[in-house]
Amino acid sequence: MAGELAHETPSPSTFRPRYIKKWRVLLNCHFASSIAKKKMGDGSAPLPVPRVAVVVFLLRGRAVLLGRRRRSIGDSTFALPGGHLEFGESFEECAAREVAEETGLEIDEAQLLTVTNNVFLEEPKPSHYVTVLLRARLARPDQEPETREPEKCDGWGWYDWGNLPSPLFWPLERMVRAGFDPFPPQASPEVEK
């Protein structure tokens, strides 16, 4: 059934939605947890509780929307719009709410792409995020982004996927370097005829 999740050899940290043809998950659970135990597990400070973030690859042609962060984690790096998942919210609802709050844009056709596990040990405040990444399009193509939270972002812009700005927020940079492609696969010419 469309939209249902099918599990193939499920584990606590990964799942594979049936409707995603190209599926890649960048996880470092075991590695990150062993580092966290070594660095913070000595009883000197409580370990941070993992949080869930929803992040959106908002696409326009071959461009993606990025903003320059103004936060303690990843300050001055370029990142995708997104934020914390609220209680009872679906991933798609969170994506639409966060994009509207941050940019004033309305989105459509949100689709789950992948999930990443990001542990920030070297930041001023150690944190751990399970990040759900979706792909979406503008609900109306004539919309332009606004900087609605200037304390969190210096501004938004459309960047060609083949010419992204620098520096990227490290979870995004890691995905780009690994060859991740947020764009839907193009239909073959035989299918279009």
Side-chain angles (χ1 to χ4, degrees), residues 131-152:
T131 305
V132 178
L133 294 112
L134 290 92
R135 160 178 60 218
R137 299 231 177 253
L138 293 171
R140 293 182 327 279
D142 62 332
Q143 298 178 90
E144 288 299 328
E146 304 168 15
T147 305
R148 293 219 167 157
E149 296 177 325
E151 72 282 2
K152 296 180 182 178

Side-chain angles (χ1 to χ4, degrees), residues 64-86:
V64 63
L65 185 68
L66 297 174
R68 190 180 283 266
R69 293 174 62 88
R70 295 188 68 196
R71 309 292 290 178
S72 61
I73 297 174
D75 188 51
S76 296
T77 60
F78 288 90
L80 301 162
H84 296 113
L85 182 69
E86 293 183 356

Side-chain angles (χ1 to χ4, degrees), residues 118-186:
N118 303 298
V119 179
F120 301 88
L121 296 176
E122 305 302 326
E123 302 297 332
K125 180 181 173 188
S127 58
H128 180 176
Y129 282 91
V130 174
T131 305
V132 178
L133 294 112
L134 290 92
R135 160 178 60 218
R137 299 231 177 253
L138 293 171
R140 293 182 327 279
D142 62 332
Q143 298 178 90
E144 288 299 328
E146 304 168 15
T147 305
R148 293 219 167 157
E149 296 177 325
E151 72 282 2
K152 296 180 182 178
C153 178
D154 281 335
W156 298 97
W158 295 101
Y159 296 90
D160 183 72
W161 185 250
N163 190 25
L164 295 173
S166 184
L168 293 174
F169 188 39
W170 76 258
L172 177 58
E173 180 179 2
R174 186 174 66 185
M175 292 179 77
V176 170
R177 286 187 180 182
F180 184 81
D181 182 4
F183 296 90
Q186 299 297 322

Side-chain angles (χ1 to χ4, degrees), residues 5 7 11-17 19-20 22-29 50-55 57 85 91 111-119 128-135 171-172 174-175 180:
L5 295 180
H7 297 279
S11 73
S13 62
T14 63
F15 63 91
R16 182 176 181 173
Y19 53 86
I20 295 178
K22 281 188 169 180
W23 180 73
R24 298 175 89 174
V25 176
L26 304 170
L27 293 174
N28 60 351
C29 288
R51 303 208 48 200
V52 177
V54 175
V55 176
F57 283 97
L85 182 69
F91 299 151
Q111 296 176 316
L112 178 64
L113 290 178
T114 192
V115 176
T116 62
N117 187 50
N118 303 298
V119 179
H128 180 176
Y129 282 91
V130 174
T131 305
V132 178
L133 294 112
L134 290 92
R135 160 178 60 218
L172 177 58
R174 186 174 66 185
M175 292 179 77
F180 184 81

